[in-house]
Amino acid sequence: MKLRVLVFINAFAVAVTLSIANYYFQQSLHAVLVTFSATFIISYIIFYYLIEKYIYSKIKLIYKQIHNLKLGRDLRDALGEHVSADPISDVQQEVKEWANQKKGEIEVLRAQEKFRREFLSNISHEFKTPLFAIQGYIDAIEDDDFEDKDMAREFLQKAARNVERLSFLIKDLDEISKLETGQIAINYTKFKINDLIKEVLENLEMKAKKHHIKLVFKEKYDESIMVNADKQKITQVLTNLIDNSLKYGKEGGTTGISLFELHDQVLVEITDDGIGIEEKYLPRLFERFFRTDSSRSRQIGGSGLGLAIVKHIVEAHDQTINVRSTEGLGSTFGFTLQKAKQQINIAGIPVLKS
Ligand SMILES: Nc1ncnc2c1ncn2[C@@H]1O[C@H](COP(=O)(O)OP(=O)(O)O)[C@@H](O)[C@H]1O
Ligand SMILES: [Mg+2]
């Protein structure tokens, strides 16, 4: 109901009551008419003024609380013409919207809380495995009292490997938390992506031999492609992806790296012919600590942080990463990079824009 109608009805009721009372005492129609008009006008003004003032002062307060003084304007200004027509339902609408918004925020917080809890349990799980292994080896050596020197040596080596695994885990965790809190800046430089790929492949050559996997860089462009990115971080992206292709590749298989020139980007693809990934896992692959069942049971996986780090780095460059995979056939991970802009100088030789 509109404020004016409400006030009108109230004033009318008062005026009628007083008029009847007046008629009862004075029995004069003229006096009744005067009383009616006077009381109607006066009570209309008083009611209107009081209700408006009351509603406005109360609503203004609520409104300010809801908006946390963000609007910085008076209710009248904020709600414009509507408020005088029906301020209550306007505020009701506002409150409903506000409640919905808060509900959304609470849901996000709940999801984050769940994520945090899972994150903690994942961390403790990841730490437990190598720690228990180290403890086991040390206990065994102690029990044996160094009688069997060969066994002691072997167990110490195994313990050392688990210590190494722990330190890799801490390094990855450190890296990901820095990336997530935005502490790591992307240090853009211009470099030839072809050269970087060759460098990374050389570094991983030994590991590939161990897995009997052939590393092939399929260069289909005559010239190297210049990109604008953080060289060190892209080295890490390439290393993680190629390393995965070795870990989850098949013995005697091949890992291929290809480049595709797009309009102002380069697409880098790493393809393997390994175990592949079930379709249902694909959407979760880049989550922290996520590992497929097969890699968990095979005990070949690392921390499960590699792809999360890769995604962070690529996205910090404002670029994208995607994956295609068929279980049993292999996987392809592709990410884009920004091409460095080139200018042609007078001699017609491309030079880099500074
Ligand atoms: N090339 C690949 N082929 C098959 N599965 C893969 C491949 N790369 C990653 N995965 C799956 O994604 C999971 C997450 O990878 P990543 O984050 O690098 O963790 P990690 O290598 O430490 O296991 C792996 O455990 C594995 O299950
Ligand atoms: Mg990995």
Side-chain angles (χ1 to χ4, degrees):
M1 194 187 287
K2 289 192 173 160
L3 181 63
R4 276 184 223 280
V5 180
L6 187 77
V7 170
F8 183 89
I9 292 170
N10 268 309
F12 189 78
V14 171
V16 167
T17 317
L18 285 179
S19 304
I20 291 171
N22 189 282
Y23 185 73
Y24 182 74
F25 289 117
Q26 298 199 0
Q27 304 281 318
S28 148
L29 214 59
H30 180 75
V32 166
L33 266 178
V34 172
T35 314
F36 180 82
S37 318
T39 45
F40 180 74
I41 291 167
I42 292 168
S43 43
Y44 186 92
I45 292 169
I46 291 174
F47 278 143
Y48 194 87
Y49 178 75
L50 283 180
I51 291 178
E52 203 197 39
K53 199 167 163 355
Y54 179 77
I55 289 175
Y56 273 136
S57 62
K58 288 280 180 206
I59 289 176
K60 210 175 194 169
L61 212 68
I62 298 172
Y63 207 80
K64 276 190 176 172
Q65 275 168 348
I66 293 174
H67 283 250
N68 208 5
L69 295 174
K70 247 195 294 184
L71 287 178
R73 285 182 285 166
D74 275 348
L75 178 66
R76 266 175 207 277
D77 297 343
L79 290 181
E81 279 301 293
H82 297 293
V83 76
S84 54
D86 193 0
I88 304 281
S89 46
D90 277 343
V91 170
Q92 215 170 17
Q93 183 63 25
E94 282 280 326
V95 171
K96 222 186 262 170
E97 279 168 21
W98 175 76
N100 277 341
Q101 188 198 335
K102 288 287 157 208
K103 212 170 116 197
E105 279 173 21
I106 289 168
E107 268 160 24
V108 170
L109 285 176
R110 279 218 185 103
Q112 282 175 350
E113 174 60 28
K114 185 170 165 259
F115 187 73
R116 223 168 290 146
R117 248 182 284 132
E118 281 176 3
F119 184 60
L120 272 179
S121 85
N122 277 328
I123 288 184
S124 55
H125 177 80
E126 293 300 328
F127 273 91
K128 247 191 268 170
T129 323
L131 265 179
F132 284 173
I134 294 167
Q135 204 174 25
Y137 292 129
I138 291 175
D139 284 351
I141 296 169
E142 262 184 345
D143 287 349
D144 189 52
D145 205 14
F146 288 93
E147 287 285 310
D148 186 343
K149 288 241 162 40
D150 286 342
M151 187 202 84
R153 196 164 297 127
E154 189 197 328
F155 279 13
L156 277 177
Q157 270 168 5
K158 283 188 173 162
R161 222 172 298 145
N162 278 286
V163 171
E164 198 177 60
R165 194 171 153 195
L166 274 180
S167 65
F168 278 139
L169 182 60
I170 291 171
K171 204 178 120 265
D172 277 357
L173 271 174
D174 191 39
E175 176 90 24
I176 205 154
S177 72
K178 277 192 189 141
L179 280 165
E180 282 184 359
T181 50
Q183 276 178 38
I184 291 187
I186 299 295
N187 188 11
Y188 284 98
T189 52
K190 284 159 186 153
F191 59 91
K192 289 177 177 161
I193 185 68
N194 304 52
D195 294 353
L196 185 70
I197 291 174
K198 283 179 206 156
E199 214 176 281
V200 173
L201 289 180
E202 253 168 48
N203 290 338
L204 287 168
E205 197 57 56
M206 284 295 287
K207 200 166 184 180
K209 280 224 170 79
K210 223 169 77 189
H211 286 89
H212 304 285
I213 289 174
K214 217 163 73 189
L215 294 175
V216 184
F217 181 23
K218 298 168 185 161
E219 274 187 287
K220 56 177 190 161
Y221 302 104
D222 295 336
E223 280 176 39
S224 288
I225 305 171
M226 272 290 185
V227 293
N228 189 19
D230 188 319
K231 193 170 178 182
Q232 206 189 338
K233 297 215 167 52
I234 298 304
T235 307
Q236 196 179 355
V237 168
L238 286 166
T239 309
N240 282 359
L241 292 177
I242 299 171
D243 181 62
N244 277 351
S245 81
L246 300 179
K247 276 202 294 199
Y248 308 110
K250 70 162 188 252
E251 196 136 309
T254 309
T255 292
I257 293 99
S258 326
L259 286 177
F260 301 92
E261 258 195 279
L262 311 174
H263 174 59
D264 51 4
Q265 286 169 309
V266 187
L267 173 67
V268 185
E269 281 197 346
I270 291 105
T271 305
D272 65 61
D273 48 8
I275 60 172
I277 302 150
E278 264 184 85
E279 204 178 333
K280 66 172 181 192
Y281 291 134
L282 290 179
R284 300 197 53 198
L285 212 60
F286 296 96
E287 281 177 21
R288 295 188 288 195
F289 294 115
F290 184 80
R291 277 145 74 191
T292 62
D293 288 341
S294 53
S295 51
R296 270 182 200 282
S297 55
R298 274 177 161 208
Q299 290 292 314
I300 45 174
S303 60
L305 288 172
L307 285 180
I309 292 175
V310 162
K311 187 168 194 262
H312 266 298
I313 295 178
V314 172
E315 287 182 352
H317 281 80
D318 277 333
Q319 299 295 314
T320 52
I321 176 148
N322 63 68
V323 56
R324 305 190 296 274
S325 186
T326 312
E327 209 191 348
L329 283 182
S331 323
T332 297
F333 286 83
F335 66 95
T336 55
L337 285 172
Q338 189 195 21
K339 270 200 281 193
K341 290 196 180 78
Q342 288 194 329
Q343 258 183 353
I344 307 292
N345 70 5
I346 305 163
I349 302 160
V351 291
L352 281 177
K353 244 189 205 170
S354 58

